[in-house]
Structures are given as structure tokens and as C-alpha cells.
């Protein structure tokens, strides 16, 4: 029933004349029939978690006959408000407002009352950063309900839970049947980007969006011991239903090696055992490298700090990215997520002390060199065993080439796939500090929002610093996330005495978030404010000199300086294009006068000495 109503609404939106019609259309469009590959049939012990429709606390997901529904923002909030009113363990905490004016809220589950005991480990589970991928909301509703009423309150004896049911609330309400073409349910899904068309899972470093700024403030308030960011995949088919990963998995290099070791050795084996006991098939977070050749290999998908898991590793916050498999039914994914969250709570209760020791170990790291700008490896670094799905290829008259057809049956033979990791292409030295001028308060505010300690200058100070001259800045040819990115691969350093006005800040790198400060403030870092195009003013040169002024001045300069004259003549001889360009010739001299704009390409954030 719901589907035909939705179909009618969608067609009505397409055609004004249909909107006036009294009877819904009777024919289905091709996209309303299933076109996705089949999913293997599934049964698991976790199905017993679903409550009966007669239960007064049944969730909308559970009440739906096909378990293929997820409630909208208002219905979700009403349900949580009821839960908050009925259970002393549950409390709703608003923590932000979206661009369209919706309240963003967390649901706190705790035995501590209003103030959470910082001695207890805390799990922060976040759903709906990509709102079409909403399994975590439906799983979280069930789990919180079972904590409140169904015998699972003991989960909170030694641990606290903060659930964000929907982070991208505006995207969640841009909903319909046609949001996630590669995903099997729920039948109404939210939209990937925010109202301002931003992807929040690219905003973890630049902190542009109100939703992300609110999230960072929530992180600062609760300092989670484990942060779980819940998504649904796109991409290749495989047997796994719950895949998850973290930077540094399987001994791969990470900015938080002790945390990665804990997740590898303590968390993962117990989590996988628990998921398997409930009938799920856990797998590692991997991405196929060639959609036309499923056996070509797997990649780690990138480790950048703009993503939750990349930021978590840089900020030394244990962060797991869940990617439930898009071709598995919504119900199977929700139940897998429930098991994941419940198991994570138990693991934090049992092993939280050793996790905190790992966090402390990583927060004490002060590497002399910070690796950055990771890119995919050209060659595989390992082989991974993989539970594949059978497939065939066929010639598609639509694409005119060979396409993969997934057959929905598990391949009984395990695959051995080459694994492609990432490697750094930039090594940054750790300076003692940076200085950010007061007039970039917007950047200073973002550093503070990150939790980076900054030391304001109470009065104007002239300081010996190292400044960077950008040699080859290049603007991107297209916009990305509301920015035009700028790359610079070469810089030269200049020792200067520079005056920083009152209100400028010193950013010491001898702090737990020192690596993060370096990644944000070094212009060559692909995750920096500069790389996001947030300091473009440095590219503009001001003032010029008229030809009638520079030409005689240049002639005088040559007469006064034979070395300069020789250098000019050598350039003329070597570069015919330069020799034929009067403006370039005059500019060559202008650059060698004190009239030339000294701040052109001089990066305004300095390294401390
Ligand atoms: Zn996602």
C-alpha cells in the first residue's frame, strides 16, 4: 500500500496534470520493480530481537510487516520523547540546529542521572550522517527500548551510551523511494547530502556545517571512548552483511597505533564472534577496485581525515566506520547493527580500562614527522580471504559493454583477493608551534572547535618566525563541498620578524591534537584549511607599475648591476617565449624591486621558532 501511494506522489511530482487526477495510475514504472541483484535468503538468531506489534513499545521498523520501513524525523522524535518520559534511564539532549531549523538531538542512556560519570567508558553511536543509510536509528530505537524495559538495563552498569538517531536531519527529511538506488530498503529513504548540499562525512576537518560543528561540541562534552559511525555501502556484492573498519586495521600504519592494536586484538575477535553467533556475517571494511572485475582486488577506500575514521585516528578517538551491505535487506542490516551496538557496550564495560590505556598512549605521541596526503597504492600489499558472491558477465545493450550480473548465491570457494592500501606522499616536520593572525578568527574558532589548545596573544607582538612562500598554487577546476580546492606542492621558507596583532594565537604542537593542528595548518596538507580553499586571498597580488615607469627603472637596474644584466640576458637567450613577451620581461624586473607586493603568495600562518 505504501509503495503505491509513494509511486503516485512521485509521479504527481513529475507531472502537474497527474496531481489533479482523482485516480492513481495503475501501471508501474520500471524503477518500481526490483532491479537489484537478489540477496541470499537469511535467517539469524537476532530475528528474535524483533518485538511483536502488540508490544506498546514496538518501533515503526518492527511494526512494519516487511520490516522495510524507517520512521520520519517527527515520528522518531515523538517515540523517543515517550521513551524519555517513561524511563529514568533515557534522556534526550538537543545539541544543535540544522540549516532548515530542525533540532539535532542525542539520546543518552545512563544510570548516572543528568551528569554522566566520566569514570565510565562511553559509546557514541551515530546514525544518519548519510540519512539514506539509517540502520543505526532503527537498531538504536530497539536497543534503547530493550534497555529501558526488556531486561537489558544491566548494559548500563559500567558504561554509558549516547545515540545520535539522525545527524543529518534535513537530509533525512528529503525523503522518498528514489534516494538510494543501490540499497535494499527501507522503502522510504533520506538523501545523502544536507539541505546545503554538503556531505557531512567530508566535513570532519574543515568543520563548515552546523551539523558538524554541533557534533564536535558534543564530542568535546562527552569525550567518547568509542565512536561508531553507521553507514550502508554502495559498490560490490559479497556475503558479508555487517562490514566495519578503522584506520590502522590489520597492522596497517595509523596515527593511533595503540588504539588500532586494541581494536584489532581485543575488539574485533569478540565482535565478530558475537555477530556470527547471532547469524550475521561480519567482514572488513573494503571496497572493490574495479566494478567490472570483482576479483581485481580490494582497497582500504582512503584514510583521509575528512572522514570520520580518518579524523578519529588523528584525534586519538577510537572510531569505527560501519558499512552494512546495501544489497542485504534492511531488516538484516538493522539486526546486525543492534548486535554490534549491544556487543560494543559489553566490550566497553569489560575492556574499557585497556582501551583507555591505549588512548592515553596515542595521545602522548609527538612524532617528529607527520605523514600526510595518503593516496592509493599502485601495487597490492597483501592478499585477503574474501567471501564472494557468484556472478557472471553479459553484454548490455544499454551500456554497450560487458556488465556484471550478481547471482545472489554465495560462492562456496573463498576468494583470495589482492589488497591495495594507501601510502603517504608528504612528510611534514613538526614545528614547535604555529601562529594564526587574529584577523582569521574564523580559522581560530575552528581550531578551538576541534579541541586544539590555542594561546591567545594579549598584545601585538613581533616574533621571529618561519613563513612559507607558496611556489605553485593551483586552483581546482571544479567546486567540491562548497569550496574550490587549492593545491600547492612546493613552498620555500623565509625567516622573518613578523608582527601578530593582539588576539592572534600561538598553536603549540606539543599537545594531544598536535598532529591535527599540523594537518590543518600546513598548506601542503591535502586536509588543510588552505587546501580547502579557505585562504585564497594569498593568491592575489596588489599594485602594479606602469610600463613607462618600470622600463626606465629596469634599464637603470641593469646599468647598476652587471650580474642582474647577465642573468636577464641569459634568460632571454634560453627562453624565446619570455624574450618575445614585453610584459613578462618588465615583470621580471618589477619582481626585483622593493615595490613588488611582498605578501603575494606569502602564507599568513607562520611556524614558530
Ligand atoms: Zn555513508
Amino acid at each position: 500500500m505504501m509503495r503505491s501511494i509513494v509511486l503516485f506522489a512521485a509521479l504527481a511530482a513529475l507531472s502537474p496534470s497527474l496531481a489533479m487526477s482523482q485516480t492513481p495510475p495503475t501501471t508501474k514504472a520500471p524503477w518500481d520493480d526490483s532491479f537489484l541483484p537478489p540477496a541470499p535468503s537469511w535467517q539469524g538468531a537476532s530475528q528474535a530481537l524483533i518485538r511483536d506489534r502488540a508490544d506498546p513499545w514496538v518501533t515503526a521498523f518492527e511494526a512494519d510487516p516487511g520490516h522495510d520501513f524507517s520512521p520520519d524525523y517527527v515520528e522518531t522524535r515523538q517515540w523517543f520523547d515517550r521513551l524519555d518520559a517513561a524511563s529514568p534511564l533515557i534522556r534526550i539532549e538537543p545539541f544543535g540546529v540544522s540549516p532548515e531549523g530542525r533540532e539535532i538531538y542525542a539520546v543518552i542512556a545512563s544510570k548516572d542521572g543528568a551528569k554522566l560519570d566520566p569514570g565510565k567508558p562511553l559509546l557514541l553511536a551515530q546514525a544518519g550522517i548519510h540519512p539514506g543509510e539509517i540502520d543505526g536509528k532503527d537498531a538504536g530505537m530497539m536497543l534503547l527500548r530493550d534497555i529501558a524495559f526488556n531486561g537489558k538495563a544491566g548494559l548500563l552498569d559500567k558504561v554509558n551510551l549516547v545515540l545520535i538517531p539522525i545527524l543529518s536531519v534535513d537530509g533525512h527529511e528529503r525523503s522518498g523511494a528514489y534516494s538510494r538506488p543501490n540499497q535494499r530498503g527501507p522503502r522510504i529513504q533520506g538523501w545523502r547530502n544536507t539541505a546545503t548540499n554538503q556531505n557531512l562525512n567530508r566535513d570532519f576537518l574543515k568543520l563548515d556545517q552546523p551539523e558538524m560543528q554541533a557534533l564536535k561540541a558534543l564530542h568535546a562534552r562527552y569525550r567518547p571512548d568509542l565512536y561508531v559511525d553507521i553507514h550502508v555501502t554502495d559498490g560490490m556484492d559479497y556475503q558479508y552483511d555487517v562490514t566495519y573498519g578503522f584506520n590502522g586495521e590489520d597492522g596497517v600504519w595509523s596515527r593511533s597505533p595503540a588504539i588500532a592494536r586494541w581494536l584489532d586484538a581485543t575488539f574485533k575477535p569478540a565482535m565478530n564472534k558475537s555477530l556470527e553467533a547471532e547469524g550475521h556475517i561480519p567482514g572488513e571494511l573494503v571496497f572493490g577496485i574495479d566494478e567490472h572485475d570483482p576479483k581485481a582486488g580490494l582497497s582500504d577506500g582512503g584514510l583521509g581525515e575528512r572522514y570520520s575514521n580518518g579524523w578519529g585516528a588523528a584525534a586519538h578517538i577510537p572510531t569505527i566506520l560501519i558499512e552494512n551491505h546495501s544489497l542485504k535487506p534492511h531488516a538484516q542490516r538493522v539486526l546486525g547493527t543492534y548486535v554490534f551496538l549491544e556487543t560494543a557496550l559489553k566490550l566497553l564495560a569489560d575492556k574499557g580500562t585497556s582501551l583507555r590505556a591505549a588512548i592515553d598512549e596515542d595521545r602522548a605521541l609527538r612524532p617528529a614527522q607527520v605523514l600526510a596526503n595518503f593516496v592509493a597504492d599502485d601495487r597490492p600489499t597483501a592478499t585477503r580471504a574474501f567471501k564472494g558472491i557468484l556472478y557472471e558477465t553479459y553484454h548490455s545493450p544499454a551500456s554497450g559493454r560487458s556488465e556484471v550480473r550478481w547471482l545472489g548465491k554465495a560462492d562456496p570457494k573463498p576468494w583470495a583477493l589482492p589488497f591495495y592500501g594507501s601510502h603517504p606522499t608528504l612528510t611534514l616536520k613538526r614545528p614547535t608551534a604555529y601562529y594564526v593572525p587574529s584577523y582569521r578568527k574564523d580559522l581560530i574558532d575552528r581550531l578551538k572547535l576541534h579541541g586544539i589548545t590555542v594561546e591567545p596573544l594579549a598584545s601585538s607582538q613581533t616574533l621571529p618566525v618561519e613563513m612559507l612562500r607558496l611556489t605553485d598554487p593551483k586552483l581546482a577546476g571544479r567546486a567540491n563541498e562548497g569550496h574550490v580546492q587549492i593545491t600547492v606542492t612546493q613552498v620555500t621558507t623565509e625567516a622573518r620578524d613578523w608582527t601578530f596583532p593582539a588576539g592572534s594565537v600561538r598553536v603549540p604542537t606539543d599537545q594531544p591534537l598536535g598532529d591535527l593542528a599540523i594537518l590543518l595548518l600546513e598548506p601542503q596538507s591535502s586536509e588543510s584549511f588552505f587546501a580547502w580553499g579557505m585562504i585564497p586571498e594569498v593568491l592575489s597580488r596588489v599594485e602594479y607599475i606602469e610600463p613607462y615607469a618600470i622600463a626606465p627603472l629596469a634599464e637603470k637596474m641593469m646599468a647598476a648591476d652587471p650580474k642582474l644584466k647577465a642573468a636577464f640576458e641569459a634568460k632571454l637567450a634560453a627562453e624565446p617565449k619570455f624574450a618575445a613577451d614585453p610584459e613578462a620581461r618588465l615583470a621580471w624586473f618589477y619582481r626585483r624591486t622593493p615595490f613588488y607586493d611582498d605578501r603575494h603568495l606569502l602564507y599568513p600562518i607562520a611556524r614558530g621558532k
Side-chain angles (χ1 to χ4, degrees):
M1 179 57 98
M2 180 59 81
R3 163 152 286 177
S4 63
I5 290 168
V6 167
L7 173 65
F8 177 57
L11 289 173
L14 288 173
S15 158
S17 63
L18 268 174
M20 307 299 288
S21 158
Q22 294 300 305
T23 50
T26 51
T27 53
K28 272 187 171 182
W31 41 83
D32 290 308
D33 276 323
S34 174
F35 53 87
L36 288 176
S41 67
W42 177 79
Q43 282 196 308
S46 61
Q47 284 167 305
L49 293 164
I50 294 180
R51 305 299 274 195
D52 188 81
R53 297 183 77 169
D55 189 312
W57 288 101
V58 72
T59 69
F61 155 76
E62 293 168 308
D64 182 66
H67 306 311
D68 188 35
F69 181 74
S70 189
D72 68 13
Y73 174 86
V74 169
E75 188 181 348
T76 304
R77 179 60 188 264
Q78 285 170 348
W79 191 90
F80 275 122
D81 281 339
R82 271 208 305 138
L83 192 67
D84 178 355
S87 169
L89 302 177
I90 307 291
R91 170 167 66 83
I92 289 179
E93 182 171 313
F95 66 95
V97 177
S98 73
E100 290 186 345
R102 292 185 181 87
E103 193 171 81
I104 310 169
Y105 62 95
V107 186
I108 319 275
S110 166
K111 291 191 170 174
D112 297 346
K115 207 164 185 310
L116 302 190
D117 176 0
K120 287 185 189 174
L122 188 143
L123 171 64
L124 174 57
Q126 171 192 291
I129 190 170
H130 291 153
E133 310 165 18
I134 202 62
D135 308 353
K137 176 187 68 181
D138 295 300
M141 290 172 81
M142 291 170 64
L143 178 59
L144 287 169
R145 180 264 326 273
D146 292 343
I147 286 173
F149 304 125
N150 295 327
K152 293 194 176 176
L155 288 170
L156 301 179
D157 286 346
K158 292 190 199 167
V159 58
N160 288 314
L161 169 63
V162 176
L163 170 77
I164 302 172
I166 312 166
L167 179 62
S168 183
V169 288
D170 295 343
H172 189 272
E173 295 310 282
R174 183 182 165 185
S175 58
Y178 310 110
S179 299
R180 294 274 299 158
N182 311 311
Q183 183 177 310
R184 181 162 276 119
R187 61 181 176 270
I188 303 298
Q189 303 156 334
W191 192 254
R192 182 176 183 79
N193 275 11
T194 66
T196 56
N197 200 21
Q198 301 296 306
N199 183 341
L200 291 179
N201 200 22
R202 304 294 181 272
D203 198 26
F204 274 87
L205 244 61
K206 57 185 172 60
L207 308 185
D208 279 338
Q209 300 305 312
E211 297 94 329
M212 183 54 61
Q213 292 166 4
L215 177 66
K216 282 296 156 82
L218 188 80
H219 265 279
R221 192 149 66 247
Y222 288 115
R223 300 179 61 112
D225 296 273
L226 182 65
Y227 172 41
V228 178
D229 178 21
I230 305 162
H231 293 247
V232 179
T233 64
D234 286 298
M236 73 189 294
D237 201 359
Y238 41 62
Q239 295 176 42
Y240 311 105
D241 58 354
V242 179
T243 76
Y244 65 95
F246 43 90
N247 281 26
E249 192 169 12
D250 291 331
V252 171
W253 182 87
S254 168
R255 299 192 195 283
S256 287
I259 290 169
R261 280 196 299 275
W262 187 90
L263 291 171
D264 262 337
T266 303
F267 185 89
K268 197 157 79 169
M271 176 58 71
N272 289 354
K273 203 172 148 198
S274 175
L275 283 164
E276 282 165 3
E278 293 292 321
H280 296 277
I281 309 177
E284 291 178 348
L285 177 66
V286 286
F287 302 83
I289 61 165
D290 183 349
E291 57 195 359
H292 288 99
D293 181 4
K295 293 187 176 174
L298 304 168
S299 92
D300 62 20
L303 311 173
E305 285 78 15
R306 69 194 62 187
Y307 308 102
S308 58
N309 48 324
W311 164 73
H316 311 306
I317 294 166
T319 300
I320 290 178
L321 180 69
I322 294 182
E323 290 277 2
N324 292 323
H325 187 231
S326 62
L327 294 175
K328 304 298 184 290
H330 181 57
Q332 184 178 349
R333 303 192 320 253
V334 169
L335 295 173
T337 308
Y338 182 116
V339 174
F340 190 102
L341 294 177
E342 182 178 7
T343 306
L345 286 172
K346 289 177 181 166
L347 282 168
L348 279 185
D350 289 352
K351 316 271 187 187
T353 308
S354 59
L355 176 58
R356 286 200 165 174
I359 294 170
D360 289 343
E361 194 179 326
D362 287 337
R363 282 172 63 86
L365 293 174
R366 303 288 186 270
Q369 295 188 323
V370 172
L371 305 177
N373 298 13
F374 282 75
V375 298
D377 290 343
D378 296 332
R379 292 164 191 278
T381 48
T383 302
R384 296 267 176 103
F386 195 70
K387 293 179 177 174
I389 291 276
L390 294 170
Y391 66 95
E392 60 190 18
T393 58
Y394 74 104
H395 180 81
S396 162
S399 71
R401 70 179 170 196
S402 174
E403 301 290 348
V404 170
R405 180 185 285 132
W406 295 102
L407 300 175
K409 289 195 172 63
D411 191 338
K413 260 180 66 183
W415 298 1
L417 295 186
F419 178 78
Y420 294 77
S422 299
H423 63 276
T425 57
L426 177 67
T427 301
L428 295 163
K429 279 193 192 140
R430 186 183 210 89
T432 54
Y434 294 92
Y435 289 92
V436 184
S438 57
Y439 49 82
R440 289 313 305 265
K441 183 177 177 302
D442 55 329
L443 302 182
I444 295 171
D445 287 345
R446 288 176 206 234
L447 292 171
K448 289 181 189 167
L449 198 51
H450 269 293
I452 293 169
T453 300
V454 302
E455 301 163 355
L457 306 186
S459 59
S460 172
Q461 287 187 38
T462 301
L463 301 160
V465 292
E466 184 173 85
M467 301 195 72
L468 302 176
R469 184 80 65 177
L470 311 177
T471 304
D472 60 346
K474 195 163 173 283
L475 270 84
R478 64 181 182 92
N480 182 23
E481 298 299 326
H483 294 268
V484 176
Q485 288 170 284
I486 306 175
T487 51
V488 60
T489 63
Q490 289 173 31
V491 299
T492 55
T493 57
E494 296 177 15
R496 307 284 286 253
D497 289 325
W498 203 257
T499 302
F500 291 91
S504 301
V505 295
R506 180 176 184 270
V507 186
T509 62
D510 183 10
Q511 58 173 308
L513 298 183
D515 290 13
L516 204 54
I518 293 166
L519 294 168
L520 285 165
L521 297 177
E522 287 287 341
Q524 289 175 275
S525 155
S526 57
E527 302 284 351
S528 67
F529 294 135
F530 178 81
W532 278 110
M534 292 160 76
I535 313 176
E537 63 273 19
V538 71
L539 306 189
S540 304
R541 183 166 65 83
V542 178
E543 278 296 355
Y544 76 107
I545 188 165
E546 296 287 2
Y548 61 73
I550 185 64
L553 177 56
E555 289 147 24
K556 279 187 182 173
M557 287 163 73
M558 279 195 282
D561 186 349
K563 266 196 201 157
L564 181 80
K565 183 168 184 281
F568 179 62
E569 283 166 355
K571 191 168 170 71
L572 291 180
E575 297 175 33
K577 210 175 138 197
F578 174 76
D581 183 345
E583 301 301 333
R585 291 166 60 136
L586 292 177
W588 190 87
F589 287 100
Y590 180 35
R591 258 198 302 279
R592 284 158 179 78
T593 73
F595 296 105
Y596 193 79
D597 181 1
D598 172 59
R599 296 196 184 186
H600 181 222
L601 302 181
L602 190 68
Y603 184 60
I605 297 167
R607 292 173 181 159
K609 286 215 169 173

